[in-house]
Amino acid sequence: QVQLVESGGGLVQPGGSLRLSCQVSGFVLEPHTVAWFRQAPGNWREGVACIRESDGEVLYSDSAKGRFTISWDKAANTIDLQMSTLNPGDSNIYYCAAGLADPISLDEEEYVVWGLGTQVTVSS
């Protein structure tokens, strides 16, 4: 069974850091691209970062550039999102998604397998 399971969410103070992890399992072949999205209740889903399995090419949203880093640990089968300098606007449910986007893209329609999400709350 193809699965993506997110972990690492929680409560963090403004200016703090958090590392999210997406465990990938059940794929016959490695997914082509894995991305992190986020969504607050009542808001549209925003692509944050994505990474291509074959060459490690990455793409970030403007809000993530310089603060977030996506990486693929092939030995552990996880795709991590290191987030720093967090602010209350980063409070969202963060989702991991896998797809075949080529070229890589933060368009959610390019992603076909989704995790259930992990909550990130930035608050003092």
Side-chain angles (χ1 to χ4, degrees):
Q1 181 182 358
V2 172
Q3 262 191 320
L4 301 175
V5 179
E6 303 93 339
S7 62
L11 175 64
V12 61
Q13 291 189 341
S17 299
L18 208 58
R19 188 178 186 89
L20 306 181
S21 187
C22 173
Q23 182 73 54
V24 177
S25 64
F27 285 88
V28 175
L29 300 174
E30 293 282 6
H32 186 276
T33 307
V34 174
W36 282 94
F37 289 80
R38 65 185 186 183
Q39 185 174 24
N43 287 0
W44 50 277
R45 190 175 290 173
E46 175 193 8
V48 174
C50 62
I51 184 168
R52 182 160 58 194
E53 185 274 336
S54 61
D55 59 4
E57 181 177 354
V58 298
L59 179 66
Y60 295 98
S61 66
D62 287 343
S63 62
K65 282 178 187 174
R67 299 190 302 130
F68 294 2
T69 302
I70 189 171
S71 59
W72 195 316
D73 184 340
K74 294 186 181 181
N77 258 0
T78 60
I79 294 86
D80 294 340
L81 185 68
Q82 178 67 47
M83 305 185 294
S84 61
T85 322
L86 289 164
N87 60 67
D90 294 314
S91 297
N92 282 277
I93 299 175
Y94 283 72
Y95 298 91
C96 175
L100 300 173
D102 189 10
I104 58 173
S105 165
L106 290 175
D107 181 350
E108 64 176 295
E109 293 187 2
E110 297 286 348
Y111 294 88
V112 295
V113 181
W114 292 78
L116 296 179
T118 184
Q119 176 71 51
V120 172
T121 303
V122 184
S123 174
S124 55

